[in-house]
Amino acid sequence: MSRPAPRGADPAGLLLLVVTSLGWGLNWPAMKLLLEELGVLSTRSAGGILGCLTLLAVALARREALAVPRALWPRLVLVSLLNVTAWMGLASFSLLWLAAAEATIVCYTMPVWAALMAWAVLGERPRPARVAGMVLALAGLALLVLGQGVSVGVEKLPGVALGLSSAVLFSLGTVVTKRWPLGLPPTTSAVWQVGIGIAPLTVAAVIVDPWAFDTLSPRGWALIAYGGVFALGLCYLSWFAALRRLPASLASLGTLMTPVVGVAGAALFLGEPFGWREATALAMTLSGVALAMRS
């Protein structure tokens, strides 16, 4: 049984949270680079399979029970499709229309949607500050997408729609999990969710987007290894460990470091522009999400 999180900010928990945010944030520019060599489905399925194997190895090393009660399977499949299939698939496809920095900002509006869904599913009525935070975050997205003109904004609308859909569905998975907890050991839960969630993407990759690993460069293999072993595998473990050591509100707010890392990484490694528009949109979006989370 996990020990209850302490009331204060545990230094080890904060370090784990920073590691998680760095790993997840840098995975956005890494994905953008990998899409130059592989299709979306191949990229995600390869990383997902490697991440699942990494988590399985950790679960076996910890001797965690992998059995799932029969009554739990429908709920496990549902949250896997929401938290992994929808999130990984839709967010990855958004990169075909959006820059890595833009996709990161759009997808990490999920705390706002989670707050609204918690009102509907859990009865947590949003306060005025939470509504104001949502408006501020959406205004930041509008500036990001439409700031260079309506024509440019319209061209990016498919990517924005996919990114927002991934955020909404992931938020729904979060609320469903909170309403009906799985009750599995952390690593076991991650193994099954990633394994079940990646299965539809893998089948789709085999049919629609066959793997072309024979033409993959050494850089491409390194990016797959990073995304699978670290961003999808070990970072999930560090996230679960952070949740056990920190108050839930602090841990959730800490994930807002991820889009900051993603935007900075895209500017550093991909040479994507980072001017006043991107900086203002980032500040507005993060401020809105933070306001929603604090209320």
Side-chain angles (χ1 to χ4, degrees):
M1 181 180 295
S2 301
R3 62 184 178 85
R7 308 250 337 151
D10 178 68
L14 291 175
L15 179 60
L16 289 165
L17 191 58
V18 169
V19 170
T20 303
S21 297
L22 284 173
W24 285 350
L26 291 176
N27 198 44
W28 286 93
M31 278 286 300
K32 190 72 173 181
L33 287 172
L34 192 53
L35 288 176
E36 296 176 1
E37 302 187 39
L38 285 177
V40 174
L41 293 172
S42 293
T43 297
R44 272 313 198 184
S45 59
I49 292 172
L50 187 55
C52 183
L53 292 175
T54 301
L55 291 167
L56 178 60
V58 174
L60 293 175
R62 290 181 170 182
R63 297 185 178 181
E64 288 191 8
L66 294 173
V68 177
R70 182 178 301 179
L72 200 60
W73 277 104
R75 196 186 321 160
L76 178 60
V77 170
L78 174 61
V79 297
S80 300
L81 293 176
L82 292 172
N83 291 336
V84 179
T85 308
W87 169 251
M88 292 177 61
L90 297 177
S92 299
F93 273 108
S94 73
L95 287 168
L96 298 179
W97 287 271
L98 301 176
E102 295 170 333
T104 308
I105 295 172
V106 171
C107 292
Y108 271 85
T109 57
M110 50 191 177
V112 174
W113 311 118
L116 292 177
M117 291 179 189
W119 182 15
V121 178
L122 305 176
E124 297 178 2
R125 184 180 180 87
R127 299 177 181 177
R130 186 163 295 180
V131 176
M134 183 184 67
V135 172
L136 183 59
L138 293 179
L141 293 181
L143 174 63
L144 181 71
V145 178
L146 301 176
Q148 293 182 338
V150 175
S151 61
V152 176
V154 170
E155 292 173 359
K156 293 183 177 183
L157 282 180
V160 174
L162 289 168
L164 286 177
S165 297
S166 71
V168 169
L169 292 174
F170 185 88
S171 300
L172 178 59
T174 300
V175 173
V176 168
T177 302
K178 184 176 180 180
R179 177 64 178 84
W180 297 283
L182 292 173
L184 295 173
T187 312
T188 298
S189 178
V191 169
W192 282 112
Q193 286 192 58
V194 174
I196 294 172
I198 205 64
L201 300 180
T202 302
V203 172
V206 172
I207 298 174
V208 180
D209 183 22
W211 293 337
F213 295 131
D214 55 328
T215 63
L216 201 60
S217 69
R219 184 191 73 173
W221 283 110
L223 292 172
I224 287 179
Y226 171 80
V229 175
F230 188 65
L232 187 57
L234 299 180
C235 280
Y236 266 101
L237 295 182
S238 63
W239 167 244
F240 287 133
L243 282 178
R244 291 195 299 270
R245 291 170 170 81
L246 296 173
S249 58
L250 177 59
S252 299
L253 192 60
T255 61
L256 300 182
M257 292 185 290
T258 299
V260 177
V261 173
V263 171
L268 182 62
F269 297 111
L270 303 180
E272 292 186 1
F274 190 81
W276 73 267
R277 186 175 69 96
E278 289 78 15
T280 304
L282 179 63
M284 291 174 66
T285 302
L286 292 182
S287 297
V289 174
L291 181 60
M293 291 293 296
R294 290 170 62 92
S295 63

